[in-house]
Every structure is written in C-alpha cells, then in structure tokens.
Amino acid sequence: MNIHPTAIVDPAAELDSSVDVGAYTLIGPHVKIGAGTVVGPHCVIEGHTTIGRDNRFFQFSSIGAANQDKKYAGEPTTLVIGDRNTVREFCTLNVGTVQDRGETTVGNDNWIMAYCHLAHDVVIGNECVLANNATLAGHVRLGDHVTVGGLTGILQRMRVGDHAMIGFQAHVAQDVPPFMTVDGNPLAARAVNIVGLKRRDFSAERIGVIRQIYRLLYRSGHTLDEAKVGIAALRGSEAGVADGDIDLMLNFLAASTRGIVR
C-alpha cells in the first residue's frame, strides 16, 4: 500500500494493499477500496462508500459525502462504485437516500470528466461517458454506453436508455430512449446514434432495424401507442438480429412515466 504521509486514512477503512493514496487525501472509517485503485491528492472519500478494482480518482474530488436532500437525516445510505472507472477533477458523488433505493451506484468502465455531479440514488450503468460539468439530479438512471455532453443537466428521476447520446448543454426533462441522439434547446431527438453503434460492432442489418424504430417513433406521425405497435411488428425482421434491441426499446417505453423526448 502506498499512502502519502500527509494523507489521513481512518484505521477502520478497508483498503487493499495495492491501493495508492495521494497527498492530503482524507478517507473515512466506512470506506472500502479494492485492488489497484489510485486516489489522487486532495480527495475526500467518506460515508458508507465501496469502491472496486482499478479505479482512478483525480485530485480534488468529493466521493461519498452526505447527499443534498433536505430530508436527509444522516441515515447510513451508500455509494457503490464498480471497477475501472475514471473520475476526473472536482467531481462530487453523493450517497443515496432512504426515500429511494438507499444507494448511488456507478457500474464499470465509466469515464466521468471534471466537475461532474452525481446526486443521491443515481444509477449509472457500464461504459458511460459524462463530459465536463454534466450534472445528474437525484434518482436519475443511465443505461449502458450512454454519452452525456458537457454542461448538460438531467432533471430528477429521468431515465436515459442504453446507447443514447445527449448533446452539449442539454436540458433533459423527459426520458431519452435507447439508441437515440438528442440535442438542442428545447431538446429533441435528431437521429440514431449510428457512430456509437458502429463502434460497438452493431451490424448494418441491426442498425437498419433500429433506424426503422426511430422512424416509427419520430417521423411517422404516429402516436406513441401506435409507434409501439409498429415497433413490436418489427420482431423477426432481418432474421431477428435486432429482436433484443426491439425488446429493449419496448421495455423502456413501457416503464417511462415522464414521457420521452420528442
């Protein structure tokens, strides 16, 4: 274990022997940090926070602090961070609340740039990118492979589906369906996130079906209920290569209570 002599690590904290801790960092008694994780200088990691393997925290981040909910009364809620995440400078990740799941969760392989804020009970999947100053309010859910543009604010309880991309300086006040690229003010769906899908080795046939889903949702003039019927009818097309994507979209739409970005 490589702990700088100016760092203060509570004796009750559980750190793997391979963890690095930088100068002037503070680590509280209820913190657990897994193998290979590097914590830079001037960080504060507190609360009931569990961090997995091979993460990197750059300087001046606040991890596991009490949430910014006025109802919070010091309950032992948690922050859980997975493996191989990068958290850049001046990020704030708060613990959850008893009014929701009691846990803020970050999955694996996420890239969280400077000045990002993850409020209480936020859930982030795997391989997401949050550009500088992205702000996620309480109870927000991001799927896997989501990209959030810089200076974007996502309102409380919004959901963003897998493979979606949110443009720069967006105000997200409705759910963002999977696979979509949204931007502008007011926010609107522009196209399928084709670049992202190609980077993840989606076949041309699979992307073609997803483009049909987009047209049904946004270009057909259908109501949302009519679009759902049309999307369901796509099952089996192109030898069923996109049936899982169709189910992902239909399940997302069925669970949406705030409406989707139009």
Side-chain angles (χ1 to χ4, degrees):
M1 191 181 303
N2 182 19
I3 299 178
H4 193 276
T6 61
I8 299 175
V9 179
D10 192 284
E14 300 179 24
L15 276 60
D16 184 85
S17 61
S18 60
V19 170
D20 283 0
V21 180
Y24 300 103
T25 281
L26 305 179
I27 297 179
H30 305 296
V31 174
K32 300 178 182 179
I33 303 179
T37 290
V38 177
V39 182
H42 297 278
C43 291
V44 177
I45 305 180
E46 56 185 311
H48 289 77
T49 296
T50 300
I51 298 169
R53 301 175 58 92
D54 300 316
N55 296 280
R56 184 172 183 188
F57 296 87
F58 282 71
Q59 54 268 25
F60 305 113
S61 285
S62 172
I63 309 300
N67 59 67
Q68 299 177 59
D69 187 322
K70 288 185 176 180
K71 298 184 296 298
Y72 184 63
E75 299 92 347
T77 54
T78 61
L79 167 67
V80 176
I81 299 172
D83 303 331
R84 300 176 303 279
N85 296 286
T86 297
V87 178
R88 295 297 308 227
E89 299 84 353
F90 298 100
C91 288
T92 54
L93 282 64
N94 295 163
V95 296
T97 64
V98 294
Q99 286 77 27
D100 192 356
R101 57 200 299 274
E103 179 178 296
T104 302
T105 307
V106 178
N108 303 321
D109 302 295
N110 295 292
W111 186 260
I112 302 173
M113 298 187 196
Y115 291 95
C116 287
H117 174 62
L118 275 60
H120 56 85
D121 306 294
V122 161
V123 177
I124 293 181
N126 304 311
E127 298 188 40
C128 295
V129 176
L130 278 63
N132 298 330
N133 291 98
T135 298
L136 278 57
H139 318 285
V140 165
R141 304 285 191 269
L142 301 188
D144 296 334
H145 307 287
V146 172
T147 300
V148 180
L151 296 169
T152 287
I154 304 182
L155 195 66
Q156 291 91 341
R157 303 186 186 279
M158 295 302 110
R159 298 165 57 249
V160 181
D162 294 1
H163 307 286
M165 181 173 184
I166 302 171
F168 169 76
Q169 208 170 31
H171 170 214
V172 181
Q174 290 182 299
D175 292 343
V176 179
F179 313 114
M180 299 299 129
T181 294
V182 299
D183 72 356
N185 186 13
L187 195 67
R190 305 298 180 183
V192 172
N193 182 17
I194 292 176
V195 172
L197 298 183
K198 287 181 176 178
R199 287 176 177 171
R200 292 168 208 127
D201 297 322
F202 278 56
S203 67
E205 294 78 12
R206 192 174 171 189
I207 291 174
V209 175
I210 293 170
R211 293 181 74 173
Q212 292 183 64
I213 293 173
Y214 167 77
R215 286 193 289 271
L216 286 164
L217 274 176
Y218 294 107
R219 295 293 180 262
S220 66
H222 292 330
T223 66
L224 183 56
D225 286 340
E226 290 168 343
K228 290 178 184 178
V229 173
I231 293 168
L234 293 174
R235 289 193 181 101
S237 58
E238 297 292 350
V241 295
D243 283 3
D245 305 316
I246 292 167
D247 290 341
L248 177 67
M249 178 61 78
L250 290 173
N251 290 337
F252 183 92
L253 296 175
S256 178
T257 60
R258 306 280 170 146
I260 63 169
V261 172
R262 301 300 291 182

